Short mmCIF file of all heavy atoms in Angstrom, two decimals:
data_model
loop_
_atom_site.label_atom_id
_atom_site.label_comp_id
_atom_site.label_asym_id
_atom_site.label_seq_id
_atom_site.Cartn_x
_atom_site.Cartn_y
_atom_site.Cartn_z
N SER S 698 -37.63 -21.83 16.78
CA SER S 698 -38.02 -23.13 17.06
C SER S 698 -38.78 -23.19 18.37
O SER S 698 -39.56 -24.14 18.60
CB SER S 698 -36.96 -24.08 17.06
OG SER S 698 -36.05 -23.76 18.36
N TRP S 699 -38.72 -22.11 19.21
CA TRP S 699 -39.53 -22.02 20.44
C TRP S 699 -40.98 -21.59 19.98
O TRP S 699 -41.22 -20.72 19.27
CB TRP S 699 -38.95 -20.84 21.29
CG TRP S 699 -39.75 -20.60 22.54
CD1 TRP S 699 -39.66 -21.31 23.70
CD2 TRP S 699 -40.65 -19.58 22.79
NE1 TRP S 699 -40.61 -20.73 24.56
CE2 TRP S 699 -41.17 -19.71 24.02
CE3 TRP S 699 -41.09 -18.41 22.01
CZ2 TRP S 699 -42.10 -18.82 24.63
CZ3 TRP S 699 -42.08 -17.56 22.52
CH2 TRP S 699 -42.48 -17.69 23.82
N ASN S 700 -41.94 -22.36 20.52
CA ASN S 700 -43.26 -22.19 20.29
C ASN S 700 -44.07 -22.08 21.49
O ASN S 700 -44.05 -22.91 22.35
CB ASN S 700 -43.87 -23.33 19.34
CG ASN S 700 -43.39 -23.21 17.86
OD1 ASN S 700 -43.16 -22.18 17.32
ND2 ASN S 700 -43.04 -24.34 17.36
N ALA S 701 -44.87 -20.94 21.58
CA ALA S 701 -45.83 -20.85 22.64
C ALA S 701 -47.37 -20.95 22.21
O ALA S 701 -47.50 -20.95 20.98
CB ALA S 701 -45.72 -19.45 23.36
N VAL S 702 -48.23 -21.17 23.05
CA VAL S 702 -49.67 -21.29 22.56
C VAL S 702 -50.36 -20.01 22.95
O VAL S 702 -50.48 -19.63 24.12
CB VAL S 702 -50.25 -22.38 23.27
CG1 VAL S 702 -51.78 -22.53 22.91
CG2 VAL S 702 -49.51 -23.78 22.89
N TRP S 703 -50.75 -19.31 21.99
CA TRP S 703 -51.46 -17.97 22.09
C TRP S 703 -52.52 -17.76 20.95
O TRP S 703 -52.43 -18.53 19.97
CB TRP S 703 -50.52 -16.74 22.13
CG TRP S 703 -49.31 -16.87 21.15
CD1 TRP S 703 -48.31 -17.58 21.12
CD2 TRP S 703 -49.33 -16.10 19.92
NE1 TRP S 703 -47.47 -17.38 20.11
CE2 TRP S 703 -48.12 -16.47 19.29
CE3 TRP S 703 -50.12 -15.08 19.34
CZ2 TRP S 703 -47.70 -15.91 18.13
CZ3 TRP S 703 -49.70 -14.56 18.14
CH2 TRP S 703 -48.56 -14.98 17.50
N LYS S 704 -53.30 -16.78 21.04
CA LYS S 704 -54.39 -16.65 20.02
C LYS S 704 -54.04 -15.35 19.19
O LYS S 704 -53.57 -14.30 19.71
CB LYS S 704 -55.75 -16.40 20.83
CG LYS S 704 -56.29 -17.74 21.42
CD LYS S 704 -57.58 -17.58 22.05
CE LYS S 704 -58.07 -18.76 22.70
NZ LYS S 704 -59.46 -18.63 23.36
N SER S 705 -54.51 -15.40 17.91
CA SER S 705 -54.44 -14.25 17.12
C SER S 705 -55.39 -14.39 15.96
O SER S 705 -55.74 -15.51 15.55
CB SER S 705 -53.03 -14.12 16.53
OG SER S 705 -52.58 -15.12 15.70
N ALA S 706 -55.69 -13.31 15.29
CA ALA S 706 -56.59 -13.20 14.13
C ALA S 706 -56.27 -12.09 13.35
O ALA S 706 -55.93 -10.98 13.88
CB ALA S 706 -58.02 -13.48 14.49
N SER S 707 -56.46 -12.14 12.00
CA SER S 707 -56.27 -10.91 11.17
C SER S 707 -57.34 -10.88 10.20
O SER S 707 -58.06 -11.88 9.92
CB SER S 707 -54.96 -11.06 10.45
OG SER S 707 -53.87 -11.20 11.30
N LYS S 708 -57.52 -9.63 9.61
CA LYS S 708 -58.57 -9.44 8.63
C LYS S 708 -58.12 -8.38 7.64
O LYS S 708 -57.72 -7.31 7.99
CB LYS S 708 -59.89 -9.06 9.25
CG LYS S 708 -61.09 -9.05 8.27
CD LYS S 708 -62.38 -8.78 9.02
CE LYS S 708 -63.52 -8.77 8.05
NZ LYS S 708 -64.83 -8.55 8.84
N ILE S 709 -58.13 -8.71 6.40
CA ILE S 709 -57.82 -7.70 5.36
C ILE S 709 -58.96 -6.82 5.10
O ILE S 709 -60.12 -7.31 4.87
CB ILE S 709 -57.28 -8.40 4.06
CG1 ILE S 709 -56.00 -9.13 4.35
CG2 ILE S 709 -57.13 -7.33 2.89
CD1 ILE S 709 -55.44 -9.97 3.06
N GLN S 710 -58.72 -5.52 5.17
CA GLN S 710 -59.87 -4.49 5.03
C GLN S 710 -59.70 -3.75 3.71
O GLN S 710 -58.69 -3.96 2.96
CB GLN S 710 -59.78 -3.48 6.28
CG GLN S 710 -59.65 -4.14 7.59
CD GLN S 710 -60.97 -4.65 8.10
OE1 GLN S 710 -62.04 -4.56 7.36
NE2 GLN S 710 -61.01 -5.14 9.30
N ALA S 711 -60.64 -2.87 3.39
CA ALA S 711 -60.56 -2.09 2.11
C ALA S 711 -59.29 -1.20 2.15
O ALA S 711 -58.86 -0.86 1.07
CB ALA S 711 -61.84 -1.32 2.04
N ASP S 712 -58.94 -0.69 3.34
CA ASP S 712 -57.84 0.26 3.35
C ASP S 712 -56.72 -0.26 4.19
O ASP S 712 -56.02 0.58 4.89
CB ASP S 712 -58.31 1.60 3.86
CG ASP S 712 -58.86 1.54 5.33
OD1 ASP S 712 -59.16 0.38 5.77
OD2 ASP S 712 -58.99 2.58 5.92
N GLY S 713 -56.42 -1.53 4.24
CA GLY S 713 -55.34 -2.07 5.01
C GLY S 713 -55.67 -3.46 5.59
O GLY S 713 -56.40 -4.28 5.03
N TRP S 714 -55.17 -3.61 6.78
CA TRP S 714 -55.61 -4.87 7.52
C TRP S 714 -55.58 -4.73 9.04
O TRP S 714 -54.83 -3.79 9.56
CB TRP S 714 -54.69 -6.07 7.08
CG TRP S 714 -53.17 -5.97 7.34
CD1 TRP S 714 -52.38 -5.11 6.71
CD2 TRP S 714 -52.42 -6.69 8.33
NE1 TRP S 714 -51.08 -5.37 7.07
CE2 TRP S 714 -51.14 -6.31 8.17
CE3 TRP S 714 -52.75 -7.67 9.22
CZ2 TRP S 714 -50.02 -6.86 8.94
CZ3 TRP S 714 -51.81 -8.12 10.07
CH2 TRP S 714 -50.38 -7.73 9.81
N SER S 715 -56.33 -5.42 9.76
CA SER S 715 -56.46 -5.29 11.24
C SER S 715 -56.15 -6.61 11.84
O SER S 715 -56.12 -7.67 11.13
CB SER S 715 -57.89 -4.89 11.55
OG SER S 715 -58.86 -5.81 11.11
N PHE S 716 -55.82 -6.61 13.10
CA PHE S 716 -55.35 -7.77 13.78
C PHE S 716 -55.66 -7.68 15.25
O PHE S 716 -55.86 -6.61 15.83
CB PHE S 716 -53.84 -7.93 13.61
CG PHE S 716 -53.05 -6.75 13.96
CD1 PHE S 716 -52.65 -6.53 15.24
CD2 PHE S 716 -52.86 -5.77 13.02
CE1 PHE S 716 -51.89 -5.43 15.59
CE2 PHE S 716 -52.05 -4.58 13.32
CZ PHE S 716 -51.63 -4.49 14.66
N GLU S 717 -55.65 -8.81 15.89
CA GLU S 717 -55.84 -8.96 17.36
C GLU S 717 -55.00 -10.08 17.85
O GLU S 717 -54.91 -11.21 17.24
CB GLU S 717 -57.30 -9.16 17.74
CG GLU S 717 -58.17 -7.96 17.59
CD GLU S 717 -59.67 -8.28 17.90
OE1 GLU S 717 -60.12 -9.23 17.48
OE2 GLU S 717 -60.19 -7.49 18.64
N PHE S 718 -54.39 -9.93 19.01
CA PHE S 718 -53.66 -11.00 19.80
C PHE S 718 -54.20 -11.12 21.20
O PHE S 718 -54.72 -10.13 21.70
CB PHE S 718 -52.12 -10.51 20.04
CG PHE S 718 -51.34 -10.39 18.80
CD1 PHE S 718 -51.41 -9.18 18.08
CD2 PHE S 718 -50.34 -11.29 18.52
CE1 PHE S 718 -50.59 -8.97 16.94
CE2 PHE S 718 -49.38 -11.10 17.42
CZ PHE S 718 -49.59 -9.98 16.62
N PHE S 719 -54.19 -12.39 21.73
CA PHE S 719 -54.34 -12.54 23.16
C PHE S 719 -53.14 -13.39 23.62
O PHE S 719 -52.98 -14.49 23.18
CB PHE S 719 -55.68 -13.25 23.47
CG PHE S 719 -55.73 -13.61 24.90
CD1 PHE S 719 -55.67 -12.61 25.95
CD2 PHE S 719 -55.76 -15.02 25.30
CE1 PHE S 719 -55.67 -13.00 27.30
CE2 PHE S 719 -55.78 -15.25 26.62
CZ PHE S 719 -55.71 -14.32 27.68
N LEU S 720 -52.35 -12.82 24.41
CA LEU S 720 -51.15 -13.45 24.95
C LEU S 720 -51.40 -13.88 26.36
O LEU S 720 -51.38 -13.00 27.30
CB LEU S 720 -49.94 -12.49 24.88
CG LEU S 720 -48.58 -13.01 25.24
CD1 LEU S 720 -48.17 -14.04 24.06
CD2 LEU S 720 -47.49 -11.99 25.26
N PRO S 721 -51.77 -15.08 26.59
CA PRO S 721 -51.96 -15.58 28.03
C PRO S 721 -50.66 -15.50 28.82
O PRO S 721 -49.46 -15.65 28.21
CB PRO S 721 -52.45 -16.99 27.87
CG PRO S 721 -51.96 -17.46 26.58
CD PRO S 721 -51.93 -16.19 25.70
N TYR S 722 -50.70 -15.33 30.07
CA TYR S 722 -49.47 -15.24 30.92
C TYR S 722 -48.70 -16.52 30.81
O TYR S 722 -47.43 -16.47 31.14
CB TYR S 722 -49.74 -14.82 32.28
CG TYR S 722 -50.43 -13.38 32.44
CD1 TYR S 722 -51.53 -13.10 33.13
CD2 TYR S 722 -49.74 -12.31 31.74
CE1 TYR S 722 -52.03 -11.90 33.26
CE2 TYR S 722 -50.28 -11.05 31.84
CZ TYR S 722 -51.35 -10.74 32.60
OH TYR S 722 -51.98 -9.60 32.61
N ALA S 723 -49.33 -17.62 30.50
CA ALA S 723 -48.62 -18.91 30.39
C ALA S 723 -47.64 -18.89 29.22
O ALA S 723 -46.82 -19.70 29.09
CB ALA S 723 -49.61 -20.04 30.29
N ALA S 724 -47.85 -18.02 28.30
CA ALA S 724 -47.05 -17.98 27.09
C ALA S 724 -45.85 -17.05 27.21
O ALA S 724 -45.13 -16.79 26.08
CB ALA S 724 -47.92 -17.48 25.79
N ILE S 725 -45.55 -16.56 28.36
CA ILE S 725 -44.39 -15.68 28.52
C ILE S 725 -43.91 -15.84 29.93
O ILE S 725 -44.53 -16.35 30.83
CB ILE S 725 -44.88 -14.17 28.29
CG1 ILE S 725 -43.64 -13.31 28.07
CG2 ILE S 725 -45.74 -13.67 29.35
CD1 ILE S 725 -44.06 -11.92 27.48
N ARG S 726 -42.59 -15.43 30.15
CA ARG S 726 -42.11 -15.50 31.56
C ARG S 726 -41.78 -14.12 32.12
O ARG S 726 -41.34 -13.29 31.37
CB ARG S 726 -40.74 -16.31 31.51
CG ARG S 726 -40.82 -17.59 30.73
CD ARG S 726 -41.62 -18.66 31.41
NE ARG S 726 -41.70 -19.82 30.69
CZ ARG S 726 -42.79 -20.15 29.83
NH1 ARG S 726 -43.78 -19.27 29.80
NH2 ARG S 726 -42.81 -21.25 29.17
N PHE S 727 -42.10 -13.96 33.41
CA PHE S 727 -41.89 -12.62 33.98
C PHE S 727 -41.72 -12.78 35.53
O PHE S 727 -42.00 -13.92 36.00
CB PHE S 727 -43.04 -11.61 33.66
CG PHE S 727 -44.41 -12.17 33.93
CD1 PHE S 727 -45.00 -11.96 35.27
CD2 PHE S 727 -45.06 -12.88 33.01
CE1 PHE S 727 -46.25 -12.47 35.47
CE2 PHE S 727 -46.36 -13.35 33.21
CZ PHE S 727 -46.97 -13.20 34.50
N GLY S 728 -41.44 -11.78 36.27
CA GLY S 728 -41.13 -11.76 37.65
C GLY S 728 -42.34 -11.61 38.45
O GLY S 728 -43.49 -11.52 37.99
N LYS S 729 -42.11 -11.36 39.84
CA LYS S 729 -43.22 -11.29 40.76
C LYS S 729 -43.49 -9.87 41.25
O LYS S 729 -44.38 -9.64 42.16
CB LYS S 729 -42.82 -12.08 42.02
CG LYS S 729 -42.93 -13.62 41.79
CD LYS S 729 -42.66 -14.27 43.18
CE LYS S 729 -42.80 -15.86 43.00
NZ LYS S 729 -42.54 -16.56 44.29
N LYS S 730 -42.89 -8.85 40.67
CA LYS S 730 -43.17 -7.52 41.13
C LYS S 730 -44.61 -7.09 41.03
O LYS S 730 -45.28 -7.45 40.10
CB LYS S 730 -42.28 -6.49 40.36
CG LYS S 730 -40.82 -6.57 40.52
CD LYS S 730 -40.06 -5.66 39.78
CE LYS S 730 -38.56 -5.58 40.01
NZ LYS S 730 -37.85 -4.66 39.24
N LYS S 731 -45.10 -6.28 42.08
CA LYS S 731 -46.41 -5.84 42.01
C LYS S 731 -46.75 -4.99 40.85
O LYS S 731 -47.86 -5.15 40.19
CB LYS S 731 -46.77 -5.09 43.38
CG LYS S 731 -48.22 -4.61 43.48
CD LYS S 731 -48.44 -3.83 44.77
CE LYS S 731 -49.84 -3.36 44.84
NZ LYS S 731 -50.88 -4.38 44.66
N ILE S 732 -45.87 -4.08 40.52
CA ILE S 732 -46.00 -3.18 39.37
C ILE S 732 -44.85 -3.42 38.47
O ILE S 732 -43.72 -3.28 38.91
CB ILE S 732 -46.16 -1.73 39.74
CG1 ILE S 732 -47.37 -1.55 40.60
CG2 ILE S 732 -46.27 -0.92 38.50
CD1 ILE S 732 -47.49 -0.08 41.17
N GLN S 733 -45.07 -3.75 37.16
CA GLN S 733 -43.99 -4.18 36.22
C GLN S 733 -44.00 -3.31 35.09
O GLN S 733 -45.03 -2.90 34.52
CB GLN S 733 -44.18 -5.61 35.83
CG GLN S 733 -44.18 -6.55 37.06
CD GLN S 733 -43.92 -8.14 36.55
OE1 GLN S 733 -43.30 -8.38 35.64
NE2 GLN S 733 -44.56 -8.99 37.33
N ASP S 734 -42.78 -2.87 34.69
CA ASP S 734 -42.46 -2.20 33.43
C ASP S 734 -41.67 -3.13 32.58
O ASP S 734 -40.63 -3.61 33.09
CB ASP S 734 -41.83 -0.85 33.67
CG ASP S 734 -42.67 0.09 34.41
OD1 ASP S 734 -43.87 -0.07 34.52
OD2 ASP S 734 -42.05 1.05 34.99
N TRP S 735 -42.04 -3.30 31.41
CA TRP S 735 -41.31 -4.32 30.46
C TRP S 735 -40.72 -3.40 29.28
O TRP S 735 -41.31 -2.48 28.84
CB TRP S 735 -42.24 -5.25 29.97
CG TRP S 735 -42.90 -6.22 30.91
CD1 TRP S 735 -42.40 -6.40 32.17
CD2 TRP S 735 -43.84 -7.24 30.61
NE1 TRP S 735 -43.21 -7.39 32.68
CE2 TRP S 735 -44.04 -7.95 31.80
CE3 TRP S 735 -44.60 -7.58 29.49
CZ2 TRP S 735 -45.00 -9.04 31.87
CZ3 TRP S 735 -45.48 -8.59 29.54
CH2 TRP S 735 -45.69 -9.28 30.74
N GLY S 736 -39.46 -3.82 28.93
CA GLY S 736 -38.96 -3.25 27.70
C GLY S 736 -39.88 -3.81 26.51
O GLY S 736 -40.25 -4.88 26.47
#
Side-chain angles (χ1 to χ4, degrees):
S698 65
W699 177 79
N700 288 320
V702 178
W703 44 282
K704 294 181 181 179
S705 66
S707 303
K708 187 173 182 180
I709 297 179
Q710 311 281 0
D712 61 343
W714 61 287
S715 57
F716 54 87
E717 289 178 308
F718 295 76
F719 172 64
L720 187 67
Y722 294 132
I725 197 167
R726 309 291 177 265
F727 52 89
K729 287 185 175 180
K730 290 182 179 180
K731 179 178 177 59
I732 300 177
Q733 301 193 33
D734 295 341
W735 293 353

